[in-house]
Amino acid sequence: MNPDDRPTIEPAVRSLLARLRRRIRRYVWIEGCAAAVAWLGLSFWATLAVDWLFEPAVVVRLLMLAAVIVVLVAVLVRRIFRRAFVPITDSNAAMLLERRFPQLQDTLLTAVVLGDPRPVPSLVSANMGLSPSAAPSNAATLAAEAGQDALSVEMLTRTCHEAAARTNQVELGKVFNRRPLWLHGGAAILLVASIAIFALLENEAFATWARRTLTLSNQLWPRKTHFVCVEGFSNGVRKVARGSDVEIIARADTDWPRVPKTAEIRYRMEGARGRATMDRRGIVGNHYQQYAYVFHNVPADIHFDIVGGDDRISDLRIQAVDSPTIGTMVLRCEPPAYTRRKASPLAVTGVMQIPMGSRVTVVAGPSNKRLIRVQVTSTVGEQPATVKTLEQSQLTSDHRGFLYRLGAVMKDTTLLFGLTDCDQITPPEPVRLALSPTPDQPPQMTVLLDGIGTAITPKARVAVAGRITDDYGIARVWFEHALGEKKSGNQTLAKLPGAPALFTLPPDAALEVRDLGVKPGQKLTVSLRAADFCDLGAGPNVAATERWVLDVVTPQQLRAMLESRELVLRQRFEAMIQEMTETRDLLARLDFQINDGHEKAKPVSRGPGASVPSGPSGTTKKLAEPGDEEPDDSPARKRTLRLLGVEGTVSNCRKSTQEVLGLAEAFEDICKQLINNRIDTEELRKRLQGGIAQPLRRVSEQMLPELERRLEALTPALDDARQGPLLRDHAQQQADEILVVMRGVLGRMIELETYNEAVKMLQEIIDKQEKLQKEIDQRHKQKIRELLKGTGS
């Protein structure tokens, strides 16, 4: 169709659509403004109630005002600005009317769409507050399709006339959902009316709200009743005897506009709270109305408020006092001078543990009442009790505490303090203080022999290692030694004037045996002792290690003993190598059902009773008949065997780690014994330390843990025919490397036999040389005697 021949929209249709747009926007503005006014009215009553009931601080009122403004802005944005400015085209309006009024029969939409070919935008009726029945339909699609047909100008013109004719049947009021408008409008009207009535009737209260809420003024709300005082209270506190009855009398001023008909007392006490109505009594002096209430048998302090009308008296307290008590008791404990500790205050809690010999000052106070006398009864150990009285001159300046000094406390002491207050009240039970002096403990020693066995040579050094601790410091450390039944002797190791609480023995801490003149066959008894700085009673506390009894032997004997020990260790090590070899073989036997190419064996379809190869040896095994038990080479059984094999290997690996480490430490100890007994050589040290101990430590601390990690990585891959063999070979390679190192260490151990043979041969040569030298000397002497005889004849 030629655009120039397109029929135009009738004026009646355009007028209808224009009126619809105006009414939609008017509806949005009215409904949104009503919602905003309703929120402001609700906020007025809420802030009024909170402010009148609690009279909150300025910060709280500012937060309430900010919350009201934030919500107001949100209402305006959501109810007005997001809807009032949405464009409404003729097509939108036509779709709404077609949906709401079926009698238009799509004539209106067809006329609008064909008269205005622009795209039809979507319209969300809910955002406009329209009736649910006014939602868009598929009429736009029909109209668009109609526009694409080759319709004649006459048919379109007729459709436009029919649409204009049917506009008279449209009632725009039925398009809108008036329920939100009525709700918001009604709420706004009611709230505004209630606020207006309140402002007229309570003009002063309204003005107070405006000043406090809008201008954040600190003006208080006006009162119509006024309580003058509560009798017997000074600064809000009244002291009474514990267990007595207390009458509370409050007075209200009758000259104020209102006199409360009732007054209420709201009390709080330990473990309970409540409220009660006060008895109204007669008017006193024509000016005051009295209200009374009695607290019976007051057991403890009571906090209460009196409330009547719109006034209250707050923070009143009844303080129940029946006998003097000490609030706190502190000990100023001055430890003995040797402890090098400063005096420190200790709060008294139960039996007080103090260092023995401390000088103690008891500081008591403050008491709940003024004291006039304190009677002190003291019992020291099994001695009879003594009584001493502290008069007012011996109390503190405010008479609410006292000081009591004791000498050096050496025994258990019990003090009883009998308090007498200004009311001449003495409690039936005195204040009890028990002092238990704790004696100074000897130093704590954690010391062992380092590189020394049960036998030593006459030139040995008895090395020790460890540490010594003491609460108040160590004075000196020394060796105590004895030969057989002889009197013991001392050799000072260290003097410590700095009194360290922890003393770690230095690397060269040792007793030089060669200075003692010992000989083979004797027994040397050695112990390490330490003393502290204690100067009480018998003097310093001394601690000692166990007494080490050492056999003195010749260097040859000790070397033979160490060689025997080394042979025993070598036998253990050979067993370890055998276990490691079995572990490696166990890894090699793990079957992953793969061929040489590391690929899964493909299953072959065979009939019942057929045979298949079961291994590289070429043996065959009959396939299971239906109903037979699971064959021995089933996948499940093989996986179980693999799992058990890996778990066994891991267990063997962990066991070997500890055993090899113990063996390395044993060889290190042999090397230390050789050095401490001064029978070592450079060759021995290299063989024992560098050739045996260090490689064993590397196997235990590095290689075996690495094997265990590789085995743990193998466990998840037991069902993987590709990764499983690779990880198994990886672990097996590590096991082979461990065996290489262990066999190398074993070779260094075997060198001992060759070395011993060489030593034995050398010893034989030395013995023969000494024997020959003796024979030469004898012959030389014999010839000299013969010459002397010949000369004499």
Side-chain angles (χ1 to χ4, degrees), residues 407-712:
V409 180
M410 302 297 295
K411 297 181 180 180
D412 290 346
T413 302
T414 302
L415 302 176
L416 301 177
F417 299 98
L419 308 178
T420 303
D421 63 15
C422 57
D423 297 327
Q424 298 295 330
I425 298 176
T426 301
E429 294 294 333
V431 179
R432 182 184 181 89
L433 173 61
L435 301 177
S436 178
T438 303
D440 188 7
Q441 299 298 320
Q444 300 295 317
M445 306 185 69
T446 307
V447 179
L448 297 172
L449 291 175
D450 185 23
I452 290 294
T454 58
I456 59 174
T457 64
K459 296 182 179 181
R461 57 188 298 274
V462 181
V464 291
R467 64 179 187 173
I468 306 172
T469 58
D470 188 80
D471 293 338
Y472 304 117
I474 304 164
R476 68 188 186 98
V477 182
W478 70 95
F479 283 103
E480 184 175 271
H481 53 83
L483 280 174
E485 301 297 331
K486 293 183 179 181
K487 185 178 180 180
S488 62
N490 298 329
Q491 180 176 319
T492 301
L493 177 62
K495 290 184 178 180
L496 306 171
L502 170 63
F503 175 65
T504 301
L505 296 178
D508 58 348
L511 171 66
E512 290 293 344
V513 178
R514 61 185 174 185
D515 299 336
L516 305 180
V518 300
K519 297 180 180 180
Q522 294 180 323
K523 288 186 178 293
L524 177 64
T525 303
V526 180
S527 65
L528 188 67
R529 295 177 175 267
D532 59 14
F533 287 91
C534 181
D535 56 6
L536 303 176
N541 298 304
V542 178
T545 62
E546 62 175 311
R547 298 171 67 87
W548 300 300
V549 181
L550 307 175
D551 295 325
V552 182
V553 298
T554 63
Q556 293 79 6
Q557 290 175 328
L558 180 58
R559 190 178 290 113
M561 295 169 62
L562 295 178
E563 290 171 359
S564 300
R565 183 183 176 190
E566 185 176 346
L567 291 176
V568 173
L569 294 176
R570 192 187 79 184
Q571 294 174 358
R572 286 175 49 193
F573 187 59
E574 289 174 349
M576 295 179 194
I577 294 178
Q578 181 62 30
E579 292 179 359
M580 194 64 211
T581 303
E582 295 175 356
T583 301
R584 190 272 314 273
D585 294 341
L586 183 59
L587 272 175
R589 289 195 299 269
L590 293 181
D591 184 10
F592 283 88
Q593 293 184 347
I594 60 175
N595 54 23
D596 295 337
H598 299 285
E599 298 177 354
K600 291 185 178 179
K602 297 181 179 181
V604 180
S605 177
R606 301 174 186 269
S611 299
V612 296
S614 65
S617 61
T619 59
T620 59
K621 185 173 182 179
K622 187 177 180 181
L623 291 175
E625 298 285 352
D628 290 349
E629 296 181 356
E630 186 181 82
D632 292 341
D633 58 351
S634 64
R637 178 178 175 82
K638 287 189 175 183
R639 189 194 184 283
T640 302
L641 293 177
R642 289 195 298 273
L643 179 60
L644 292 176
V646 172
E647 291 178 350
T649 306
V650 172
S651 178
N652 293 342
C653 183
R654 292 173 180 171
K655 176 185 175 185
S656 298
T657 300
Q658 299 302 321
E659 291 179 347
V660 173
L661 179 61
L663 198 66
E665 293 174 349
F667 275 95
E668 289 174 351
D669 183 67
I670 291 175
C671 187
K672 286 183 179 180
Q673 289 195 45
L674 292 172
I675 295 173
N676 288 334
N677 286 279
R678 293 186 170 91
I679 58 174
D680 63 310
T681 62
E682 184 68 21
E683 179 64 27
L684 280 175
R685 287 197 300 271
K686 288 183 179 180
R687 190 180 71 85
L688 292 174
Q689 191 67 31
I692 298 177
Q694 292 180 358
L696 289 179
R697 275 197 175 273
R698 184 164 63 90
V699 169
S700 174
E701 297 175 356
Q702 300 178 13
M703 302 184 74
L704 282 171
E706 175 62 22
L707 175 59
E708 183 177 347
R709 284 191 290 270
R710 295 184 183 185
L711 292 173
E712 291 175 352

Side-chain angles (χ1 to χ4, degrees), residues 195-255:
I195 294 172
I197 294 172
F198 176 79
L200 291 175
L201 298 180
E202 300 289 342
N203 186 27
E204 184 179 356
F206 184 82
T208 302
W209 170 85
R211 284 190 292 269
R212 287 180 56 82
T213 304
L214 301 181
T215 65
L216 302 178
S217 171
N218 288 324
Q219 176 186 352
L220 298 178
W221 286 88
R223 305 294 199 264
K224 294 186 178 180
T225 59
H226 178 60
F227 282 98
V228 178
C229 66
V230 179
E231 295 181 357
F233 285 80
S234 175
N235 296 325
V237 179
R238 179 178 175 182
K239 297 181 180 181
V240 300
R242 190 179 304 279
S244 62
D245 296 340
V246 182
E247 184 180 35
I248 307 299
I249 298 177
R251 294 184 179 181
D253 194 341
T254 58
D255 293 337

Side-chain angles (χ1 to χ4, degrees), residues 739-755:
L739 283 173
V740 169
V741 175
M742 294 177 73
R743 290 190 179 110
V745 172
L746 181 60
R748 297 304 301 270
M749 292 181 182
I750 295 175
E751 291 177 4
L752 176 65
E753 296 179 357
T754 306
Y755 175 78

Side-chain angles (χ1 to χ4, degrees), residues 204-349:
E204 184 179 356
F206 184 82
T208 302
W209 170 85
R211 284 190 292 269
R212 287 180 56 82
T213 304
L214 301 181
T215 65
L216 302 178
S217 171
N218 288 324
Q219 176 186 352
L220 298 178
W221 286 88
R223 305 294 199 264
K224 294 186 178 180
T225 59
H226 178 60
F227 282 98
V228 178
C229 66
V230 179
E231 295 181 357
F233 285 80
S234 175
N235 296 325
V237 179
R238 179 178 175 182
K239 297 181 180 181
V240 300
R242 190 179 304 279
S244 62
D245 296 340
V246 182
E247 184 180 35
I248 307 299
I249 298 177
R251 294 184 179 181
D253 194 341
T254 58
D255 293 337
W256 281 61
R258 293 182 183 176
V259 177
K261 295 181 180 180
T262 60
E264 188 178 61
I265 188 167
R266 301 174 182 176
Y267 59 88
R268 304 173 301 280
M269 58 189 302
E270 184 178 357
R273 62 173 58 229
R275 59 179 63 191
T277 303
M278 304 181 71
D279 297 332
R280 183 172 179 174
R281 297 180 180 177
I283 297 177
V284 180
N286 298 325
H287 291 287
Y288 303 106
Q289 173 67 55
Q290 282 192 346
Y291 303 88
Y293 181 79
V294 178
F295 286 103
H296 296 281
N297 190 22
V298 176
D301 291 359
I302 300 176
H303 300 260
F304 64 93
D305 304 332
I306 294 177
V307 180
D310 58 0
D311 196 13
R312 70 165 56 198
I313 301 178
S314 303
D315 299 329
L316 299 177
R317 180 164 66 99
I318 297 175
Q319 184 178 354
V321 292
D322 53 355
S323 59
T325 58
I326 296 297
T328 58
M329 183 176 289
V330 177
L331 301 183
R332 292 179 183 172
C333 182
E334 182 180 353
Y338 77 88
T339 63
R340 295 174 173 82
R341 300 288 178 88
K342 296 182 179 180
S344 58
L346 301 174
V348 175
T349 55

Side-chain angles (χ1 to χ4, degrees), residues 375-379 385-388 404 413-418 430-431 433:
Q375 182 173 300
V376 183
T377 303
S378 60
T379 303
T386 59
V387 179
K388 182 178 180 180
Y404 183 73
T413 302
T414 302
L415 302 176
L416 301 177
F417 299 98
V431 179
L433 173 61

Side-chain angles (χ1 to χ4, degrees), residues 1-2 5-10 107 110-115 143 146-163:
M1 179 183 296
N2 190 345
D5 298 334
R6 187 183 302 273
T8 60
I9 302 176
E10 294 290 335
T107 57
T110 302
V112 170
V113 171
L114 294 179
Q148 295 175 359
D149 295 337
L151 300 177
S152 63
V153 175
E154 292 80 3
M155 292 179 65
L156 293 176
T157 302
R158 181 179 179 183
T159 300
C160 292
H161 288 312
E162 288 182 2

